[in-house]
Amino acid sequence: MSGTTAAEVLFDRRGPGGRLGVITLNRPRRLNALSHAMVREIAARLEEWNADDAIEQYLLLGAGERGLCAGGDITEIRDDVLATGGAGAGRFFADEYRLDAATAELPKPCVALMDGVTFGGGVGLSAHGRGGRVVTERSSIAMPEAAIGFVPDVGGAYLLSRMPGGLGLHAGLTGARLGAGDAIATGFADVFVPADALPELVRRLEAEAADAVLDDLRRPAPEPALAAERTWIDEAYAGDDPLEILERLDALAAAHPGAATAAEAIRAASPTSIFATLELLRRNREAPTLRAALELEYRVGMRLAVAEDFAEGVRAMVVDKDRSPRWRPGSLEAVRREDVEALFDPRGGATLDWG
Ligand code: QUE
């Protein structure tokens, strides 16, 4: 297995007997964007640590000041698609989604510091854990993939599809950034800890049980900002037709500035991604397990990763940063239903195998 050059992820064991296994995403200049090598290293280390009785609990955090993780390294995926047609991208997503599933099935407590930016692949790595998902007043949690011609993946469509009322569609279609209060209200996170208590949290995890430390350091979560918006959100996102959702958002915009912002974000996103996100959330609502949801996200995601909008979206948002993607088709009206349906067709689709 090829290693990473400058230790893009750090592993260390702290406390008596090395009882705390610490995983630090360490690519701060890329906001800790997850490379394929990082995914493979984390997966291998978790497997080793899961079997090591001296390890009692885990801590996941991001290096630098800006946050846990910007997402998967979509420039690496785009480069592979453009150079080789996406075989490497398929292995990247498969390894990443298997890791996401593994974080949901860990045999020991894991505290994930969802401090600062936690988007896309960062959500997949942290938000499937149970009991120890920590947000702070700096947290900004989002699934912004529709803006790059993709769909919420890494089990994000599964989480979004289970959110109350219209919140999941709102977050999935617009990429809305959720603060700590909303992250907890929607189920992305469990506990609020003020950012200035994080050093103490990290230190105490070396010697104390995670649930006891969190019980001690948790504070009442801030008010969820979206709770006050639920009247228009639930009204706007009822139904599965993106054109009707936009019509309702436009009608609500005069009374609710948030509805105008949401309509703007949906109009800026890839039209194909908007249709695909709606359908993916609709279908994943019925998914019996996270793994089943990941299998569907993989099939749809692989078809989108090799389509034009993804390369163009990543170019516009991350490579050139002009923020002016030229989508094809270029409007919601021009998207053909049968092309959306075809993204979900099991026949000829990529299969995520569980190894
Ligand atoms: C939407 C996204 C992502 C994004 C921008 C979007 C995303 C992602 C990154 C990202 C950011 C910095 C990096 C990097 C990737 O940007 O998922 O490699 O250095 O990972 O508008 O979904």
Side-chain angles (χ1 to χ4, degrees), residues 321-352:
K321 297 186 169 50
D322 58 45
R323 302 192 156 266
S324 302
R326 297 167 65 94
W327 306 123
R328 296 210 321 172
S331 69
L332 288 170
E333 289 81 358
V335 174
R336 292 156 21 128
R337 304 265 168 179
E338 58 266 38
D339 292 341
V340 179
E341 276 298 310
L343 295 170
F344 292 82
D345 192 342
R347 289 168 300 176
T351 307
L352 176 60

Side-chain angles (χ1 to χ4, degrees), residues 74-309:
I74 50 182
T75 64
E76 181 182 341
I77 291 164
R78 176 176 181 267
D79 288 348
D80 176 74
V81 168
L82 296 178
T84 73
R91 291 189 292 271
F92 187 152
F93 284 128
D95 285 332
E96 183 182 21
Y97 298 0
R98 283 189 286 257
L99 173 59
D100 296 330
T103 68
E105 300 160 7
L106 289 172
K108 322 178 187 201
C110 179
V111 173
L113 301 189
M114 303 171 80
D115 185 29
V117 169
T118 304
F119 290 177
V123 172
L125 207 51
S126 57
H128 299 301
R130 279 291 165 270
R133 303 168 299 167
V134 175
V135 282
T136 75
E137 67 278 12
R138 301 188 297 219
S139 289
S140 177
I141 318 292
M143 294 301 295
E145 291 83 0
I148 53 161
F150 203 59
V151 284
D153 65 336
V154 298
Y158 176 83
L159 297 173
L160 292 169
S161 73
R162 282 156 174 73
M163 289 179 180
L167 289 175
L169 273 176
H170 176 64
L173 295 175
T174 70
R177 276 58 169 159
L178 307 192
D182 287 318
I184 292 171
T186 55
F188 272 141
D190 302 298
V191 296
F192 176 78
V193 174
D196 66 9
L198 293 183
E200 181 183 351
L201 169 61
V202 169
R203 196 168 357 98
R204 288 177 59 182
L205 286 173
E206 292 181 10
E208 299 172 55
D211 57 357
V213 180
L214 289 175
D215 269 349
D216 202 30
L217 295 180
R218 71 185 302 164
R219 294 291 174 268
E223 278 308 306
L226 290 176
E229 318 269 326
R230 278 293 292 285
T231 48
W232 72 259
I233 287 178
D234 292 356
E235 183 183 337
Y237 295 99
D240 289 324
D241 183 334
L243 288 162
E244 288 176 12
I245 289 172
L246 267 183
E247 253 174 54
R248 286 193 291 270
L249 286 170
D250 288 341
L252 290 158
H256 306 282
T261 311
E264 208 176 305
I266 292 173
R267 287 197 169 92
S270 154
T272 301
S273 291
I274 292 298
F275 271 92
T277 298
L278 265 160
E279 183 63 14
L280 187 57
L281 264 61
R282 196 181 68 76
R283 294 194 188 212
N284 269 353
R285 224 170 279 150
E286 315 296 327
T289 60
L290 171 62
R291 284 184 178 220
L294 284 164
E295 289 169 12
L296 184 60
E297 293 171 26
Y298 187 71
R299 190 196 308 154
V300 176
M302 278 311 298
R303 286 190 171 119
L304 287 172
V306 298
E308 271 181 72
D309 275 5

